Amino acid sequence: MKTSQETTGRNSTTISGFILLGFSDIPSLQYLFFSVFLVTYIVTLAGNLLIIVLTLAEPTLHTPMYFFLRNLSFLEKCYTSVNVPKMLRNLLSGDKTISFIGCAMETYFTFFLGGSECFLLASMAYDRYVAICKPLHYPVVMNRKVSTGLAAGSWLSGLLMSFGHTSTVFILPFCRSHEINHFFCDIPLLLKLACGDTFRNDMAVFIMVFFFAIFPFMLILMSYVCIISTILRLPSRVGRRKSFSTSSSHLMVVTLFYGSACIMYLKSNSSYSPDTDKFLSLFYTVITPMLNPIIYSLRNKEVKGTFWRMVSRRRFC
Ligand SMILES: *[C@@H]1O[C@H](CO)[C@@H](O)[C@H](O)[C@H]1NC(C)=O
């Protein structure tokens, strides 16, 4: 064991970076992918920016729910900006290399923001749970201090988890091929390239997925069970249908995000297929950040009203 570690350690010093193969196995679709991802990226940035501006500008939207939404939009903007610009560059240029440090930074920020997003989504579900299921306690339970504390806690836990997790991966020796069959640096793929003993890292992935994906997802699910059962008891049929449709679309986006991430990180090595991995990870890197603002707010009457009021005020001024 020791000698193999030593020899691999020597070899690894010759490798200064990685090659992200991306979608280069299907060259005919490069331009199609480029256009789709570019449009998605622009829509994501614009949609999330719009939410930040609207929730800041409108005093009636200064509530915990919109505070969380603004925070989520800010996070999503950062999250897509970690991977998508590099992905777009890779699709167009022949140069698909990424430096060792670049790859480490990309992994660090992907896990930092992804982990924070998991907890932020759980905080948002908790906020809705208190608002709908315990409406009398809402002003006391969800005060300013609690909501900023939950958001800050989400960011901080993602930051710390990612630091620990990424640093234990990047101290491993990388001596096999340095080609990554993916469009960004991701821990499961890096672990396949490492030659040291990765058992501890595999365990860490498992534990991390439990704390950052399964545990918050269970909390979200429990909140929504209560929210939906409260909604079903509402006397008005129209109100019931409306609340039900927004809650179910939230739940759908959340399930898509957690589902794709869990499948990606919990799959056993035997079922490893790089193409499935690439398409699965598109869900949480490209699709959810775009859908989140649309579903959380553009279907929301208050946000839409604010938007049209701002647009018409501009026009008449
Ligand atoms: C998100 O929440 C954190 C912690 O409460 C806060 O410091 C930050 O300003 C918030 N960001 C936005 C864009 O609201």
Side-chain angles (χ1 to χ4, degrees):
M1 195 67 232
K2 189 137 197 195
T3 50
S4 89
Q5 286 271 4
E6 274 164 14
T7 48
T8 58
R10 204 180 318 132
N11 281 350
S12 70
T13 53
T14 57
I15 293 172
S16 59
F18 297 96
I19 298 172
L20 289 170
L21 293 179
F23 294 102
S24 52
D25 49 340
I26 17 183
S28 53
L29 294 181
Q30 303 269 331
Y31 288 107
L32 177 69
F33 279 133
F34 180 82
S35 329
V36 172
F37 293 154
L38 184 65
V39 171
T40 318
Y41 184 52
I42 292 171
V43 171
T44 308
L45 289 187
N48 284 306
L49 185 66
L50 187 65
I51 289 173
I52 294 176
V53 171
L54 289 180
T55 52
L56 276 177
E58 176 62 42
T60 58
L61 299 185
H62 290 174
T63 63
M65 178 176 147
Y66 291 104
F67 164 75
F68 284 125
L69 191 60
R70 182 163 66 242
N71 228 289
L72 181 72
S73 287
F74 178 66
L75 197 148
E76 304 265 30
K77 258 176 31 151
C78 303
Y79 187 58
T80 49
S81 300
V82 171
N83 295 319
V84 179
K86 183 103 182 68
M87 204 166 118
L88 291 172
R89 208 205 75 180
N90 263 18
L91 277 169
L92 278 195
S93 86
D95 177 22
K96 302 199 188 303
T97 55
I98 183 167
S99 67
F100 191 78
I101 295 293
C103 191
M105 294 297 276
E106 202 174 80
T107 311
Y108 174 72
F109 280 105
T110 305
F111 271 74
F112 162 28
L113 298 168
S116 304
E117 172 153 358
C118 290
F119 277 156
L120 203 56
L121 286 172
S123 309
M124 291 172 81
Y126 177 65
D127 168 70
R128 287 300 84 205
Y129 162 77
V130 180
I132 293 174
C133 305
K134 308 250 183 290
L136 296 180
H137 301 284
Y138 187 67
V140 182
V141 173
M142 201 40 86
N143 57 30
R144 202 188 178 89
K145 222 164 148 189
V146 172
S147 51
T148 47
L150 281 173
S154 305
W155 285 87
L156 192 66
S157 53
L159 191 135
L160 293 177
M161 175 277 289
S162 184
F163 183 75
H165 204 57
T166 311
S167 50
T168 56
V169 170
F170 280 88
I171 55 170
L172 290 169
F174 291 96
C175 56
R176 282 183 211 150
S177 142
H178 45 152
E179 288 186 347
I180 302 177
N181 190 357
H182 205 53
F183 46 81
F184 61 92
C185 287
D186 202 358
I187 287 182
L189 302 154
L190 288 165
L191 289 180
K192 288 195 179 65
L193 298 184
C195 355
D197 184 8
T198 61
F199 176 74
R200 253 186 263 159
N201 301 84
D202 291 330
M203 282 314 286
V205 169
F206 198 80
I207 293 169
M208 183 210 60
V209 170
F210 180 79
F211 272 106
F212 281 83
I214 297 177
F215 173 63
F217 184 63
M218 286 299 155
L219 289 182
I220 292 172
L221 212 58
M222 270 154 52
S223 305
Y224 273 105
V225 165
C226 170
I227 290 169
I228 290 172
S229 72
T230 307
I231 289 170
L232 289 178
R233 286 197 304 263
L234 282 180
S236 134
R237 190 143 165 239
V238 180
R240 211 183 315 155
R241 190 176 319 134
K242 224 174 63 198
S243 318
F244 188 75
S245 94
T246 31
S247 320
S248 57
S249 42
H250 289 182
L251 199 55
M252 239 161 55
V253 177
V254 162
T255 309
L256 198 68
F257 175 75
Y258 284 102
S260 53
C262 282
I263 297 172
M264 173 80 192
Y265 292 107
L266 289 184
K267 265 186 310 93
S268 66
N269 282 344
S270 54
S271 62
Y272 173 66
S273 142
D275 292 322
T276 324
D277 273 9
K278 275 187 270 187
F279 284 102
L280 264 179
S281 54
L282 282 183
F283 279 105
Y284 58 88
T285 48
V286 179
I287 313 228
T288 356
M290 180 183 66
L291 287 185
N292 261 341
I294 297 174
I295 288 185
Y296 272 100
S297 41
L298 303 184
R299 297 184 49 153
N300 175 316
K301 233 183 177 155
E302 282 172 320
V303 175
K304 271 195 294 200
T306 309
F307 176 69
W308 290 118
R309 262 201 310 284
M310 277 178 82
V311 169
S312 59
R313 218 182 291 150
R314 281 281 127 72
R315 203 185 301 140
F316 292 123
C317 277

